[in-house]
Amino acid sequence: MSTINKSATQINATILSNKRVGAYHQILLAIGDLASVCKPGNFVAISVGGDSSRMVLRRAFAISRITHGSASGGAMELIVAPHGSGSRWLCEQSEGSEIDIVAPLGKPFGIPTQPVNALLVGGGYGSAPLFGLAEVLKARGCRVDMLLGASTGSKIYAPLEGKRSASTLKIYTEDGSMGESGRVTAPIRDLLAQGAVDVIYSCGPMSMLRAISELTEGTDVVHQCAVEESMACGIGICMTCVLPVKNDDDSISMLRSCIDGPVMDGSTVAWDVVGKVPPAVHS
Amino acid sequence: MSTINKSATQINATILSNKRVGAYHQILLAIGDLASVCKPGNFVAISVGGDSSRMVLRRAFAISRITHGSASGGAMELIVAPHGSGSRWLCEQSEGSEIDIVAPLGKPFGIPTQPVNALLVGGGYGSAPLFGLAEVLKARGCRVDMLLGASTGSKIYAPLEGKRSASTLKIYTEDGSMGESGRVTAPIRDLLAQGAVDVIYSCGPMSMLRAISELTEGTDVVHQCAVEESMACGIGICMTCVLPVKNDDDSISMLRSCIDGPVMDGSTVAWDVVGKVPPAVHS
Amino acid sequence: MSNQVIDLSTTLGNAWFPAPIFTASGCASSGKELSQFFDLREIGAVVTKSVMNKARHGRPTPRMAETPSGMLNSIGLQGPGIDHFLANDVPWLLERGAKVIVSIAGETTDEYAMLARKVRAVPGISALEVNISCPNVENRGMVFACERESSARAIDGVRKIIGGEIPIIAKLTPDVTDITSIASAVVDAGADGLALINTVLGMVINLDTMKPHLGGKTGGLSGPAIRPVAVRAIYQVHSAMPDVPILGMGGVSSGRDALELILAGASGVSVGTASFGDPTAIPRIQRELAALLLARGFSSIKDAVGYAHRDEGM
Amino acid sequence: MSNQVIDLSTTLGNAWFPAPIFTASGCASSGKELSQFFDLREIGAVVTKSVMNKARHGRPTPRMAETPSGMLNSIGLQGPGIDHFLANDVPWLLERGAKVIVSIAGETTDEYAMLARKVRAVPGISALEVNISCPNVENRGMVFACERESSARAIDGVRKIIGGEIPIIAKLTPDVTDITSIASAVVDAGADGLALINTVLGMVINLDTMKPHLGGKTGGLSGPAIRPVAVRAIYQVHSAMPDVPILGMGGVSSGRDALELILAGASGVSVGTASFGDPTAIPRIQRELAALLLARGFSSIKDAVGYAHRDEGM
Ligand SMILES: Cc1cc2nc3c(=O)[nH]c(=O)nc-3n(C[C@H](O)[C@H](O)[C@H](O)COP(=O)(O)OP(=O)(O)OC[C@H]3O[C@@H](n4cnc5c(N)ncnc54)[C@H](O)[C@@H]3O)c2cc1C
Ligand SMILES: Cc1cc2nc3c(=O)[nH]c(=O)nc-3n(C[C@H](O)[C@H](O)[C@H](O)COP(=O)(O)OP(=O)(O)OC[C@H]3O[C@@H](n4cnc5c(N)ncnc54)[C@H](O)[C@@H]3O)c2cc1C
Ligand SMILES: Cc1cc2nc3c(=O)[nH]c(=O)nc-3n(C[C@H](O)[C@H](O)[C@H](O)COP(=O)(O)O)c2cc1C
Ligand SMILES: Cc1cc2nc3c(=O)[nH]c(=O)nc-3n(C[C@H](O)[C@H](O)[C@H](O)COP(=O)(O)O)c2cc1C
Ligand code: FES
Ligand code: FES
């Protein structure tokens, strides 16, 4: 009936497995037919804490990967960092327990119709949705290079099978404990200068997304970034998750990152206004 | 240091077993050395709902039985009716999980120094502490008769091993589904008339305790009843659990049923003032 | 099933609604977003986000903080402005057969009157909710609903425009010393009904930055945490003015919560924060409420409204 | 361990306390009951249950209802009366080396003055908390702390008796339109400090009886649910009067909660409802707070008081 989140459904999903991977938990959920409508870049909103929980809001997680099983139906993979009480609760749930999810939510990554050179940049658990995306891009004939970064090695999420989906993969850690030492954004300037990139797909901390947007500014390179703002509802009804986005006339609109995102065109986000009030609306 | 609850301690107790018995759950907790200071009539206050629970108050449960193990230390048995969200949470906890308890709390049943004829009357899960009490009384040479009542058979808690501790046991259900049909208080008048009873120990709904107090009024029979008022703290600091108790000069004091009870002398409780405000305090 | 034997319809002044559970203003945007999760015709009405005369950006982010059994929000009435809203959002809702209560918010008495005039010009709207209590607008010192006179003036201005075509429902803040006094002031000024309660003013300090967490510093507390405050306010106001219909709200997330507000005196119940945690909360609450009413022998919502007052003064 | 490198002592006016976490009035009885669970000398002070001139039975039961992340109470100031209290409870506490803040409550201005006179006669008490805000006393219409004048009169009466020997701490209710206005009235009348906040007025309807659940109908809401309201009140008052010491309270159940109130402007923190759920809450919170302060580079409580205001007005 609606045009917003038109495939979204609320279901009870059974946890198929829950494994620690470095600093994260890799959680696999049985989601049946819902698997067919989830796209890379979509997210899921999960109810946490059980029946008598004092946590009244859902928690948002990027859909990391979708697998289309046969008998049991499809499955959804999440990569969860135990951060506060909600994500910790989720990481503690054992195989077989049911959790209440709403998915798929939000705008997914745009997929080019032509084969292009794509650079995928992930920060921390932000790499999670990039592997599924890489597969889709490869299937479209794109070249896929991947850069992953984190503060330290245990926060790099780069599963073996995922690595295969990228043509190249480089890892950066700030403490040098894995891959090269430094920030994941460091090599991008050179790659852009070499003309080796048509599209950048990014997911990670806002500061990383902003840095990439600054690097692509003035170039032809498209920057699709998955933003992460605090979300109370995840479905467009609360207006807590807004980001300042530039309109064609250079005015700014506060758009809901849950339904107008999480994937946004990095060049339209008014990064310097994030967390501030834009100039008055002219009407 | 204090004279109130002087054996009470807060510990994390491991659930040794959790079995359904009729409408109740029989829960066994490992409590180590604490077992040696728990007496029939004491209760335990349990934190419910886990780390991110919206339930801020403990739940009170009568200590049903204490067993003194060898290697593993002592154990405490509870009989829990799944009533609201807190007791349901407790009933759902599985073997091996740890729960946060404070015990032993409150005034226990008084034990006669001479062998007497004791009548034990239990309503619903109120029978739970009576079996442990019966053992103590028997060890003191008392004759122990037991009457248990409930609305229906599944709410009668009368374990096999418990039955042995009483000389006689009669069961009453309001719907006649087990034992005799009717209220557990029905036979008491005759027993009193026969002079067969020196002390009544009772535990169950307030209406049952009141009815027994009315039957013993004007007799020499002592009535020790374990009352059940809503308790916010269970340790005497909140004043929510008060009951009107008559003083020697016939004035009334509002006593805390958690520390001046739960076992009280039924003849001193001003049953008609429960839930009302007694006449002004004269000073 | 249960809906067959119980009359779930309700009224607020001269407006009739097929069911007792409504969205809460600001917690359903303009309705479209929730229509993916249930049919908007199933519920009482869509109460739309308070709209002002001009488009507004609202407050800076962060705009929310979760708190124990609740949340703080500091949206600052972001919105498209009344003209855009009436031209786009209202027709969409009416076309789909939803009942619509439009919520307006102003910074001056004149703005309220102007908004009312524009709303009056659009046919099909069921009621007008006048939010004189939002604590999030820039000029905090002057929250209308904090004083009898300013509250009365705002409602009086609206009353002069709306001549009884649709009910005027004044939405009050609980952040006052005596809510019955504010309630009587707005009823005297011409409000047909009252919406109780708006959020409670609160604040969270971020322990990393060691500063107020919200961009707007303070925010409005909503959710189950404030339900006892809502029940109290509704009970007090219904006691003082039993004939004035109340749209109750504050922390309702189940049928039992809705029943509590109804027994205290609410004729209808708005659900806000609960929809954030559960997009199908409203139809679920409606089903649970119907079952609870039936179990207690009620055959209609109306019989239950204010039932907790029945032995009052005895 | 952490206590060795951080100065946890604090002051309220001219009273010094070895540690920053106190009991909350009415949530520790007179102290004895908690002494089974920890040494009363470890904590800031025991704030005793508000005592009135005469012995009182308080309200009928039920006196409590649990609510989401909180509870309602309606005790109605049951107590032994001031003479019995000063003769029995205070000496017991002082003998054990506990710091004592006596809380008094009156029904008339004269009663406050009389209570103050009796408290002044007992040596060793650290401070006097004047509870002018309990919403549970019979005469609800006249809660002192709801009006500037009545608040000021109650404090003025006490000030005339207590000449600076011990600090007078006025305890305010958040159930007012503007708490800073009440705060300034009592400070002008001679209060040396403020206790913020008392409980928030609330109600629960029992769905079985379909009537108000509490014997006293309304009750005071406490616990984590109200913490955002406490933080806001403390922040507002500290902003308006940065030199007036505040004893903060409302929903504190962990070190992080206590730190939030301190950053907002509290010099000490009382813990009430949390002790019901955890008898050793106070010493635990004190330990957690010390660790959090250390991790943030503070070397004393004093440096953290009101730290969230540091860039104010910039
Ligand atoms: C679109 C989107 C995708 C995300 N994908 C992932 C993912 O794949 N893996 C992962 O580990 N995390 C992801 N996050 C972040 C995740 O939502 C937060 O870590 C989580 O909400 C924290 O909840 P908590 O109860 O553990 O922490 P708390 O700090 O106790 O949460 C308190 C409140 O703040 C909000 N909050 C706290 N941190 C964040 C954050 N970083 N982003 C948004 N809201 C926050 C919570 O939702 C909650 O409402 C994503 C967030 C968004 C918005
Ligand atoms: C001294 C004492 C001994 C008890 N012994 C037993 C026992 O052996 N087995 C057993 O099953 N139950 C016992 N109870 C009752 C038990 O405490 C309640 O069933 C339980 O607290 C209900 O909590 P809830 O969260 O499930 O229900 P809810 O109704 O959700 O609880 C809400 C609040 O009301 C209080 N409350 C609700 N019902 C009762 C009640 N009947 N008595 C006291 N407080 C109540 C709760 O503690 C809680 O604070 C005892 C109570 C007391 C005071
Ligand atoms: C995010 C958010 C935005 C809100 N916006 C408005 C608003 O625009 N106008 C209004 O009258 N109330 C607004 N409210 C208040 C709600 O309508 C409601 O009165 C309050 O949240 C209590 O109900 P709840 O606990 O069910 O959310 C808002 C509440 C929230 C949480
Ligand atoms: C059961 C109970 C009794 C209380 N009695 C008093 C009292 O006698 N005097 C007073 O000033 N405050 C009283 N209060 C309020 C507390 O001191 C405190 O201000 C309030 O509960 C908020 O703190 P908390 O959330 O930590 O409990 C009482 C609170 C409770 C829960
Ligand atoms: S999270 Fe609610 S509108 Fe985006
Ligand atoms: S339960 Fe708190 S005093 Fe008895």
Side-chain angles (χ1 to χ4, degrees), chain A residues 1-2 4-6 8 10 54-59 102 230-233 235-240 242 252 254 256 275-279 281 283, chain C residues 26-29 32-37 54-58 60-61 63-64 66-71 75 78 96 224 275-280:
Chain A
M1 179 160 178
S2 175
I4 303 162
N5 283 325
K6 65 178 191 305
Q10 178 172 16
R54 69 177 179 203
M55 296 181 279
V56 298
L57 304 173
R58 282 174 190 262
R59 303 304 194 248
V102 179
S230 269
M231 294 179 178
C233 75
I235 57 170
I237 59 176
C238 75
M239 311 296 283
T240 60
V242 297
I252 287 176
M254 297 299 274
R256 287 164 283 185
K276 298 187 187 132
V277 192
V281 187
S283 43
Chain C
C27 302
S29 197
K32 218 176 254 175
E33 297 79 359
L34 282 176
S35 68
Q36 168 63 21
F37 298 98
K54 295 208 176 142
R56 280 170 66 98
H57 284 316
T61 51
R63 287 181 171 186
M64 74 102 174
E66 199 185 42
T67 67
S69 298
M71 67 173 280
I75 309 298
Q78 172 175 351
R96 267 142 201 90
S275 291
F276 301 168
D278 178 3
T280 55

Side-chain angles (χ1 to χ4, degrees), chain A residues 232 237-240, chain C residues 23-27 47-51 63-64 71-75 77-78 103-105 129-136 171-172 196-200 220-227 230 248-253 270-276:
Chain A
I237 59 176
C238 75
M239 311 296 283
T240 60
Chain C
T23 68
S25 178
C27 302
V47 182
T48 56
K49 167 125 194 98
S50 297
V51 65
R63 287 181 171 186
M64 74 102 174
M71 67 173 280
L72 285 179
N73 87 81
S74 144
I75 309 298
L77 293 175
Q78 172 175 351
S103 171
I104 58 171
E129 189 177 90
V130 187
N131 173 11
I132 56 169
S133 58
C134 184
N136 283 337
K171 182 156 178 184
L172 306 187
L196 302 170
I197 58 173
N198 214 312
T199 53
V200 176
L221 183 62
S222 63
I226 67 165
R227 197 172 64 235
M249 63 209 65
V252 172
S253 65
S270 275
V271 170
T273 306
S275 291
F276 301 168

Side-chain angles (χ1 to χ4, degrees), chain C residues 69 209-211 310-311, chain D residues 69 207 210-211 310-311:
Chain C
S69 298
T209 64
M210 295 198 273
K211 291 200 180 172
R310 65 196 181 282
D311 296 333
Chain D
S69 299
L207 294 194
M210 296 199 273
K211 292 200 178 171
R310 63 197 181 281
D311 296 333

Side-chain angles (χ1 to χ4, degrees), chain B residues 24-25 41-44 48 55 57-64 78-89 125-126 128-129 203 226-232 241 257-258 261-262, chain D residues 64-67 213:
Chain B
Y24 306 118
H25 278 247
N42 283 146
F43 68 98
V44 54
V48 289
M55 297 181 279
L57 303 175
R58 283 175 189 261
R59 304 304 194 248
F61 298 95
I63 297 173
S64 162
L78 308 176
I79 304 305
V80 179
H83 168 77
S85 47
S87 50
R88 275 204 309 268
W89 179 88
Y125 55 72
C203 185
V227 303
E228 187 181 307
E229 265 292 340
S230 270
M231 294 179 178
C241 63
S257 62
C258 64
Chain D
M64 74 104 174
E66 198 185 45
T67 66
H213 176 72

Side-chain angles (χ1 to χ4, degrees), chain D residues 162-194:
Chain D
I162 309 274
E165 305 89 326
I166 53 173
I168 299 171
I169 300 166
K171 182 154 178 187
L172 306 186
T173 171
D175 291 325
V176 293
T177 308
D178 181 2
I179 197 162
T180 58
S181 150
I182 309 287
S184 76
V186 297
V187 168
D188 289 349
D192 302 296
L194 299 164

